[in-house]
Amino acid sequence: MEHHWPARIAGAAAGLANGLFGGGGGMVFLPILSRWGRLDQRKLYATCVGVIFPVCLVSAAVYLFRGELSLLTALPYLLGGLAGGWIGGKLYGKISIRWLKWLFAAFLFYAGVKYLL
């Protein structure tokens, strides 16, 4: 059981980031899984999504119970996100790993700049 502590600590860090920022846990998980997960790139991205999903559910539940989540405001984004997630999952195997890395980096850069402005 001792060898699972780095993964548990990494999970706690990602959950903390997700809870504090309303997202972003995947940005913590991706480099951690890349280093410790010993997965090929395609499984790495898919595993990151699989791990972050329950973390997001927990954060959303806390926000909901605290009365800080507007379900009516979130609904159109959720519907679009579900459609986008399905399309992205279908396209996933058709896009090269190199392009996935560049797209991910570009998204992070764009989001960071928009956040600062």
Side-chain angles (χ1 to χ4, degrees):
M1 277 300 200
E2 178 88 16
H3 65 283
H4 290 294
W5 279 108
R8 290 179 181 140
I9 292 169
L16 182 64
N18 203 74
L20 285 174
F21 305 125
M27 290 180 274
V28 174
F29 273 129
L30 194 62
I32 291 169
L33 283 171
S34 156
R35 182 175 179 108
W36 293 337
R38 297 185 186 99
L39 300 170
D40 66 49
Q41 290 292 313
R42 294 219 178 265
K43 286 185 180 178
L44 171 67
Y45 285 105
T47 301
C48 186
V49 170
V51 171
I52 199 61
F53 177 68
V55 173
C56 289
L57 285 176
V58 169
S59 295
V62 170
Y63 295 151
L64 180 65
F65 290 128
R66 291 181 62 175
E68 297 172 1
L69 172 61
S70 170
L71 292 175
L72 288 176
T73 302
L75 187 60
Y77 297 98
L78 177 61
L79 296 175
L82 291 172
W86 185 79
I87 293 167
K90 290 293 192 180
L91 292 174
Y92 178 69
K94 297 175 170 100
I95 298 175
S96 76
I97 295 298
R98 184 175 183 179
W99 276 105
L100 283 174
K101 287 180 179 182
W102 276 101
L103 286 170
F104 185 71
F107 171 75
L108 290 180
F109 180 76
Y110 172 78
V113 169
K114 291 299 283 183
Y115 181 75
L116 292 174
L117 298 179

